[in-house]
Amino acid sequence: MSKFLLSLHVLAAIVAVGPVTVAASMFPAAARRVPVAVGGADGGGDVRTVRLLHRICRVYAGLGIAVPVLGFATAASMGVLGDAWLIASVTLTAVAAGLLAAFVLPRQEELLEQLADGQPVERARTVRLAMFTGLFNLLWAAVTILMIVRPGSTTGA
């Protein structure tokens, strides 16, 4: 059962977290490329691209709930719930989720509203968003490394 749960956990991470990291990383640059619209009109295809990237982030962030749920089920079946590497991974996952919910998605929404109103975005705002997105991605990279290396693991891997 552990191998089945682990397989589902890894697949959920790839399918749910992967699109968020890619779309969130693309968002700031895509927002900077939207031309300033004349008369408050929608910037056309460029705004649609930014809107799509935000939607991908929102939808797949919701699907990402499956990753820790399956992770806890896997850890329980393996008997490693108290291991330091798992506690560190859970903590980093919670920080990443909080960063996404509190800083990345709201800033994306603000920039998207601004672009939809035909207003130009300040480069500094997209740079800050890129910084938060980078931190989010680094946290997931650290979690991935902890899941592979598992310090103190008795599996030999």
Side-chain angles (χ1 to χ4, degrees):
M1 186 63 155
S2 293
K3 289 182 181 182
F4 176 71
L5 288 171
L6 180 59
S7 296
L8 290 178
H9 173 63
V10 171
L11 283 171
I14 292 167
V15 170
V17 178
V20 175
T21 59
V22 172
S25 296
M26 294 172 65
F27 187 97
R32 280 192 294 268
R33 284 193 303 266
V34 174
V36 178
V38 178
D42 186 324
D46 295 315
V47 172
R48 286 191 297 262
T49 299
V50 174
R51 190 175 288 121
L52 175 64
L53 291 171
H54 177 62
R55 184 173 181 199
I56 290 169
C57 290
R58 266 193 358 259
V59 169
Y60 283 92
L63 295 174
I65 302 288
V67 177
V69 169
L70 290 166
F72 276 117
T74 303
S77 74
M78 294 173 71
V80 295
L81 282 172
D83 287 8
W85 65 269
L86 184 71
I87 293 168
S89 294
V90 169
T91 302
L92 292 175
T93 298
V95 172
L99 191 63
L100 182 66
F103 294 97
V104 175
L105 293 175
R107 280 179 169 73
Q108 285 182 351
E109 289 172 15
E110 291 169 4
L111 289 172
L112 189 53
E113 288 173 12
Q114 196 173 351
L115 290 169
D117 289 342
Q119 301 171 2
V121 296
E122 294 176 33
R123 181 170 175 78
R125 293 184 73 199
T126 61
V127 168
R128 279 191 297 276
L129 175 59
M131 177 193 66
F132 288 124
T133 300
L135 289 173
F136 171 77
N137 293 343
L138 283 173
L139 288 167
W140 276 114
V143 169
T144 302
I145 290 166
L146 282 171
M147 292 290 152
I148 293 168
V149 174
R150 300 179 314 220
S153 172
T154 58
T155 64

